[in-house]
């Protein structure tokens, strides 16, 4: 499964490495002459397999991290800074300036998505385009939010002008599997609502921020966006230990989130916006349309090699249809094409984490020792940068693959006879993001839906789990999430309702009228943003 350099299309070849020797703090692209970390791709560009060196990034330390924090705090200036007090229309103009520049970097970023994380070409293009759409949708939603708030209310003799205000300084940490889209789903609403941000890219998918540094620098006032590099425990932990961070925005692992929370000395003042692990199940009922179900389960389990929090990570299949489902599903898995991201038709691509094949093999070995079998012929075949998806059956609760979020190409199938078996498992699970349920009998589906909506936050009927469309709420129960992300909800997650109140009398009313007429206040305004 190696690919010759001669097989790589010219436009996707790595002709020179990226030497990222600057980082963005306080509106300045600061030069770095200290330690640099090598960034490798697990994709080989030579006849004999070898990881490909993509470039180098700064290995910043505590000193540089605290400088970034200071820049963000200075830009916020205890709520008095230019950015938090700016008119909504002016903040929108800054964001529009940024996205115009971002669109010119599509080709570079798509190429880096493929090399850095192994995402195939169509999905890399989709991630970029979806992110641009997300920014424009966020701008429009913010306009509508401002329009809805451009008024005064009166109750019990008191006028109120209610808007949403920023929370303060945000530490933003994104994931490697959607290093552009999910990172920006945190970053963009945090910025546009008037907060200032310190952002550290994920370990994988870090170089693709390089083409955007100048756009961030020249689109926003100094210190509003600060981008730093380095190990999380070296740069993120000291920032949190100061107690000066108001919001922790993180999509990733709960261990990291918990450690950062615990390092903050004033946790009652810390707002959390977290997207964490999930173990989303599919329940396949006896009367499910198997053609549709298998299509959706293939997409749900193996899109981007299963490296999605919304992936289907365990399939519950009723015993009455097990034999047919297992046979057809396993054949479909084996028919999937492995290749490099730019190869036409490649559905399975190299894993970005060098140690992931060994981890997946460990899950397979544990399941086999405890009574499972590999149903598909290719399951578990390994090369230097990949392990072919293994369909494991029968899986039970004693197996690691049942308990752990595998985040990779291995598919556990659990048989069930009584629907209470999967329902009890979902209720007992530490996670509660989504579920997929496949069937058509309304009398069977109705009570299941009515229970499942109280256990997870999205029930997908005859379709795989997913995040989008981005206008829909994206969150989870239990250990899966804190806060809600969507175009609508994210603006609220990164802000708080705040208002000006005045008693209804001639003295106050004259002042309010003058404030509106002179437009002296950026907060008190009834202007309608077109």
């Amino acid at each position: 499964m190696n690919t010759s350099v001669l097989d790589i299309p010219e436009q996707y070849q790595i002709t020179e490495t990226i030497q990222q020797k600057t980082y963005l703090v306080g509106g300045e692209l600061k030069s770095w002459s200290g330690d640099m970390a090598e960034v490798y791709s697990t994709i080989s560009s030579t006849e004999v397999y070898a990881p490909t060196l993509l470039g180098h990034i700064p290995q910043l330390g505590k000193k540089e991290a605290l400088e970034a924090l200071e820049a963000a705090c200075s830009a916020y200036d205890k709520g008095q800074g230019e950015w938090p007090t700016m008119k909504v229309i002016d903040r929108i103009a800054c964001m529009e300036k940024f996205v115009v520049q971002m669109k010119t970097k599509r080709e570079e970023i798509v190429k880096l998505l493929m090399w850095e994380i192994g995402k195939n070409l169509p999905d890399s293009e989709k991630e970029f385009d979806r992110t641009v759409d997300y920014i424009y949708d966020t701008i429009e939603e913010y306009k509508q939010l401002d329009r809805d708030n451009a008024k005064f209310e009166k109750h019990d003799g008191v006028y109120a002008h209610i808007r949403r205000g920023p929370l303060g300084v945000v530490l933003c940490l994104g994931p490697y599997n959607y290093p552009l889209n999910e990172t920006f789903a945190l970053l963009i609403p945090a910025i546009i609502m008037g907060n200032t941000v310190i952002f550290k890219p994920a370990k994988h998918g870090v170089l693709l921020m390089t083409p955007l540094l100048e756009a961030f620098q020249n689109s926003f006032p100094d210190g509003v966006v600060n981008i730093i590099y380095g190990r999380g425990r070296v740069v993120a932990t000291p920032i949190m230990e100061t107690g000066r961070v108001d919001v922790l925005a993180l999509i990733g692992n709960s261990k990291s989130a918990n450690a950062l929370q615990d390092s903050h000395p004033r946790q009652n003042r810390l707002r959390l916006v977290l997207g964490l692990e999930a173990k989303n199940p599919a329940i396949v009922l006896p009367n499910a349309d198997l053609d549709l179900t298998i299509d959706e389960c293939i997409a749900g389990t193996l899109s981007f090699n299963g490296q999605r929090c919304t992936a289907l990570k365990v399939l519950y299949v009723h015993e009455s249809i097990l034999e047919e489902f297992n046979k057809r599903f396993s054949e479909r898995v084996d028919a999937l094409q492995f290749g490099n991201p730019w190869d036409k038709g490649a559905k399975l691509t190299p894993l970005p984490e060098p140690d992931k094949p060994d981890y997946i093999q460990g899950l397979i070995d544990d399941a086999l020792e405890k009574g499972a079998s590999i149903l598909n012929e290719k399951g578990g075949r390994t090369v230097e940068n990949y392990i072919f998806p293994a369909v494991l059956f029968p899986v039970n609760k004693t197996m690691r693959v049942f308990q752990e979020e595998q985040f990779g190409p291995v598919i556990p199938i659990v048989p069930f006879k009584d629907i209470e078996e999967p329902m009890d498992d979902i209720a007992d699970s530490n996670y509660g993001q989504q579920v997929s349920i496949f069937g058509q009998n309304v009398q069977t589906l109705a009570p299941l839906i009515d229970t499942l909506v109280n256990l997870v936050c999205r029930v997908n009927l005859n379709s795989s789990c997913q995040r989008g469309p981005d206008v829909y709420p994206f969150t989870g129960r239990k250990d899966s999430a804190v806060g809600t992300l969507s175009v609508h909800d994210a603006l609220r997650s990164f802000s708080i309702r705040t208002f000006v109140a005045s008693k209804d009398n001639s003295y106050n009313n004259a002042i309010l009228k003058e404030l509106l007429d002179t437009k002296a206040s950026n907060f008190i305004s009834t202007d309608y943003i077109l």
Side-chain angles (χ1 to χ4, degrees):
M1 288 194 279
N2 287 345
T3 298
S4 165
V5 66
L6 300 176
D7 296 327
I8 301 175
E10 184 178 355
Q11 67 267 38
Y12 304 130
Q13 290 181 20
I14 298 296
T15 55
E16 59 182 25
T17 58
I18 296 174
Q19 302 304 311
Q20 180 56 48
K21 293 184 177 180
T22 60
Y23 59 101
L24 179 61
V25 168
E28 179 185 350
L29 284 172
K30 291 181 172 287
S31 296
W32 176 251
S33 58
D35 291 342
M36 301 284 284
E38 295 177 326
V39 179
Y40 281 95
S41 171
T42 61
I43 299 170
S44 180
S45 58
T46 57
E47 291 284 359
V48 178
Y49 177 82
T52 300
L53 179 65
L54 299 179
H56 297 80
I57 57 168
Q59 282 289 75
L60 305 181
K62 177 178 179 180
K63 175 177 176 289
E64 292 74 31
L66 295 181
E67 286 174 353
L69 173 64
E70 186 60 40
C73 292
S74 296
Y76 193 71
D77 194 17
K78 301 176 183 177
Q80 302 172 87
E82 175 188 5
W83 188 246
T85 60
M86 188 180 287
K87 289 182 179 179
V88 169
I89 192 66
D90 293 332
R91 285 208 294 262
I92 288 173
C94 291
M95 190 62 73
E96 289 174 333
K97 180 180 180 182
F98 170 79
V99 73
V100 166
Q101 295 176 71
M102 176 180 169
K103 287 191 292 185
T104 68
K105 306 297 183 182
R106 183 180 190 267
E107 186 177 322
E108 296 172 66
I109 291 173
V110 166
K111 178 178 175 179
L112 286 166
L113 274 167
M114 291 191 290
W115 277 98
E116 286 199 80
I117 65 169
K119 186 165 288 188
N120 68 27
L121 177 58
D123 286 348
S124 295
E125 292 174 331
K126 181 181 177 182
E127 177 164 352
F128 184 92
D129 295 339
R130 178 183 175 189
T131 305
V132 170
D133 289 342
Y134 181 90
I135 297 173
Y136 280 121
D137 289 344
T138 297
I139 289 170
E140 287 305 311
E141 183 68 25
Y142 192 25
K143 287 180 180 179
Q144 188 58 50
L145 178 63
D146 190 76
R147 293 170 192 143
D148 293 343
N149 292 338
K151 63 183 180 181
F152 279 81
E153 299 179 16
K154 182 183 176 184
H155 296 281
D156 297 331
V158 176
Y159 281 110
H161 187 58
I162 306 170
R163 290 186 174 275
R164 298 197 73 87
L167 296 166
V169 175
V170 179
L171 176 61
C172 180
L173 305 169
Y176 82 80
N177 59 335
Y178 288 88
L180 187 70
N181 183 259
E182 291 206 347
T183 296
F184 276 39
L186 299 174
L187 200 58
I188 297 304
I191 295 168
I192 205 169
M193 291 307 294
N195 303 285
T196 61
V197 176
I198 308 127
F199 163 50
K200 189 193 85 67
K203 179 181 179 182
H204 304 289
V206 60
L207 289 174
L208 59 86
M209 289 298 163
T210 297
L212 298 176
L213 285 181
E214 287 188 8
F216 276 118
Q217 180 196 25
N218 63 43
S219 299
F220 302 100
D222 295 353
V224 172
V225 181
N226 304 276
I227 300 176
I228 59 175
Y229 302 90
R231 296 186 179 92
R233 63 180 178 273
V234 175
V235 295
T237 301
I239 289 173
M240 291 294 287
E241 287 174 344
T242 66
R244 299 175 75 187
V245 170
D246 299 292
V247 185
L248 173 61
L250 179 149
I251 296 178
N253 187 276
S254 60
K255 291 181 180 178
S256 300
N258 291 339
L260 288 169
Q261 269 182 263
D262 290 343
S263 65
H264 196 290
R266 307 161 91 178
Q267 291 187 31
N268 60 306
R269 293 176 57 171
L270 180 66
R271 175 77 69 93
L272 300 173
V273 183
L274 308 175
L276 305 171
E277 297 100 312
K279 188 77 173 176
N280 292 341
I283 301 174
V284 184
L285 299 171
N287 56 13
D289 179 329
L290 280 189
D291 290 334
L292 178 152
T293 300
I294 290 170
D295 283 347
E296 292 293 328
C297 285
I298 288 288
T301 56
L302 290 175
S303 289
F304 192 41
N305 301 304
Q307 298 167 122
R308 303 178 300 121
C309 64
T310 56
L312 290 175
K313 298 193 175 80
V314 58
L315 307 181
Y316 290 92
V317 182
H318 192 271
E319 61 180 20
S320 65
I321 56 171
L322 260 173
E323 185 175 351
E324 184 180 1
F325 180 91
N326 285 351
K327 179 178 183 295
R328 291 173 59 183
F329 183 79
S330 299
E331 289 173 351
R332 286 284 301 277
V333 171
D334 274 353
L336 295 173
Q337 179 183 330
F338 174 84
N340 279 330
W342 42 80
D343 292 343
K344 187 175 181 179
K347 297 295 185 183
L348 308 174
T349 52
L351 300 169
E353 297 175 286
D355 57 351
K356 182 57 69 75
D358 286 344
Y359 169 74
I360 296 295
Q361 187 62 57
L363 296 181
I364 294 171
D365 291 344
D366 174 77
L368 296 180
E369 288 172 8
K370 294 173 180 174
S373 299
I374 298 176
L375 296 184
N376 58 318
E377 185 179 337
K378 294 182 182 178
R381 291 184 186 174
T382 304
V383 292
E384 292 87 348
N385 56 9
Y386 197 68
I387 181 167
F388 201 89
V391 182
L392 298 175
F393 174 85
V395 167
N396 61 55
K397 296 179 187 180
T398 68
M399 299 175 186
R400 287 175 55 202
V401 75
F402 181 90
Q403 299 291 341
E404 299 176 24
E405 184 196 31
Q406 62 266 43
F407 219 75
V410 60
I411 305 157
I413 296 180
V414 180
F416 75 93
K417 181 177 182 179
D418 186 338
I419 190 61
E420 292 304 316
E421 298 167 33
M423 295 295 281
D424 287 345
D425 287 350
I426 295 169
D428 292 339
S429 172
N430 291 327
Y431 309 114
Q433 189 197 75
Q434 299 186 30
V435 65
S436 291
I437 184 164
F438 296 93
Q440 56 184 309
N441 185 304
V442 171
Q443 299 306 314
T444 302
L445 289 170
L448 298 181
I449 291 170
D450 290 350
T451 299
L452 288 168
V453 292
N454 297 324
L455 301 177
V456 299
C457 288
R458 176 167 168 164
V459 177
N460 299 277
L461 182 59
N462 291 310
S463 57
S464 61
C465 298
Q466 61 183 37
R467 173 170 178 160
D470 288 322
V471 295
Y472 292 158
F474 180 59
T475 187
R477 297 173 184 268
K478 296 184 273 191
D479 292 344
S480 286
V482 177
T484 302
L485 294 174
S486 70
V487 172
H488 174 83
D489 294 299
L491 295 176
R492 287 155 177 79
S493 293
F494 288 101
S495 63
I496 191 167
R497 274 160 59 94
T498 184
F499 66 102
V500 175
S502 67
K503 291 182 178 179
D504 179 16
N505 56 50
S506 58
Y507 180 73
N508 283 337
N509 293 348
I511 294 172
L512 288 177
K513 185 176 185 305
E514 186 175 356
L515 280 166
L516 291 170
D517 289 344
T518 61
K519 302 185 186 298
S521 169
N522 291 345
F523 184 88
I524 296 178
S525 171
T526 55
D527 289 349
Y528 188 93
I529 299 178
L530 296 175

